[in-house]
């Protein structure tokens, strides 16, 4: 009897890795957690496709447990490129990308830091509307869902 892990189970495991707090008692435990998350993420293609939360949690894991800043940047950029390719760039993925990589790397993707970030619609084609970043529309016009633009400000009291 074998249960196939799905995107929810795998993302949950990666989330646990991302939120793991290394005690410092065992040398390299944060690095070991990062390696486990990478192995599970790589294995995921056998079972299911990663969604935007999977990419976000992997970026968070890299930010917290990568061996060096350079490794975090390289890993985050590779994850972002893959998320773009499969249409899974959400607000969270975009924010993690902006947090983990220098401005020069962001400019290569024409993603600018702050609230002015805009992405091509195909980068977020598989993300639910309320989780999509601002999208550059046809003919260069920017499309903005007002609920999306005001949601973080309205719910700041719940984030504390």
């Amino acid at each position: 009897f074998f249960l196939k892990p799905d995107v929810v189970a795998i993302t949950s495991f990666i989330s646990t890795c991302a939120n793991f707090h290394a005690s410092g008692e065992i040398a390299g435990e944060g690095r070991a957690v990062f390696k486990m998350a990478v192995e599970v993420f790589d294995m995921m293609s056998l079972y299911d496709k990663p969604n935007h939360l999977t990419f976000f949690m992997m970026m968070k894991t890299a930010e917290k447990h990568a061996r060096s800043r350079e490794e975090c940047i390289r890993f985050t950029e590779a994850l972002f490129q893959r998320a773009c390719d499969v249409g899974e760039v959400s607000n969270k993925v975009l924010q993690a990308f902006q947090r983990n990589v220098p401005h020069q790397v962001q400019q290569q993707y024409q993603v600018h830091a702050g609230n002015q970030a805009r992405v091509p619609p195909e980068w977020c084609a598989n993300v639910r509307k309320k989780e999509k970043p601002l999208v550059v529309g046809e003919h260069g016009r920017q499309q903005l869902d007002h609920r999306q633009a005001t949601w973080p400000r309205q719910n700041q009291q719940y984030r504390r």
Side-chain angles (χ1 to χ4, degrees):
F1 181 68
F2 177 71
L3 293 176
K4 178 178 98 168
D6 64 356
V7 67
V8 173
I10 292 171
T11 302
S12 295
F13 175 80
I14 294 170
S15 174
T16 301
C17 294
N19 293 305
F20 176 77
H21 178 70
S23 66
E25 294 176 14
I26 302 171
E29 63 186 339
R31 179 73 185 148
V33 167
F34 181 62
K35 284 178 72 175
M36 279 192 305
V38 170
E39 288 173 12
V40 169
F41 183 79
D42 289 343
M43 179 191 71
M44 185 176 195
S45 64
L46 300 172
Y47 303 105
D48 209 343
K49 296 183 297 187
N51 64 18
H52 71 101
L53 289 174
T54 313
F55 286 107
F56 168 69
M57 285 300 160
M58 282 303 300
M59 289 178 182
K60 187 174 173 184
T61 303
E63 179 181 6
K64 193 169 178 185
H65 299 296
R67 183 179 333 135
S68 65
R69 176 84 176 122
E70 291 75 27
E71 181 181 48
C72 176
I73 291 168
R74 282 192 315 273
F75 195 78
T76 299
E77 185 178 4
L79 285 169
F80 186 74
Q81 180 62 55
R82 190 162 165 197
C84 292
D85 292 345
V86 297
E88 290 289 352
V89 176
S90 67
N91 281 319
K92 289 182 180 223
V93 170
L94 187 58
Q95 289 166 2
F97 177 72
Q98 291 172 332
R99 192 172 53 248
N100 289 1
V101 302
H103 188 69
Q104 308 90 277
V105 176
Q106 294 176 33
Q107 286 180 322
Q108 293 172 5
Y109 294 91
Q110 297 181 348
V111 174
H112 305 288
N115 294 331
Q116 300 305 311
R118 302 289 189 269
V119 300
E122 59 272 11
W123 287 8
C124 55
N126 297 316
V127 177
R128 291 188 326 201
K129 186 175 181 176
K130 71 178 188 174
E131 295 161 342
K132 286 186 180 190
L134 301 179
V135 173
V136 174
E138 291 180 66
H139 311 295
R141 290 192 314 261
Q142 297 168 349
Q143 300 168 340
L144 174 61
D145 182 320
H146 292 289
R147 286 179 297 136
Q148 179 182 352
T150 59
W151 183 84
R153 279 182 265 130
Q154 291 172 344
N155 291 314
Q156 278 183 339
Q157 62 192 1
Y158 300 111
R159 294 176 181 250
R160 295 184 183 154

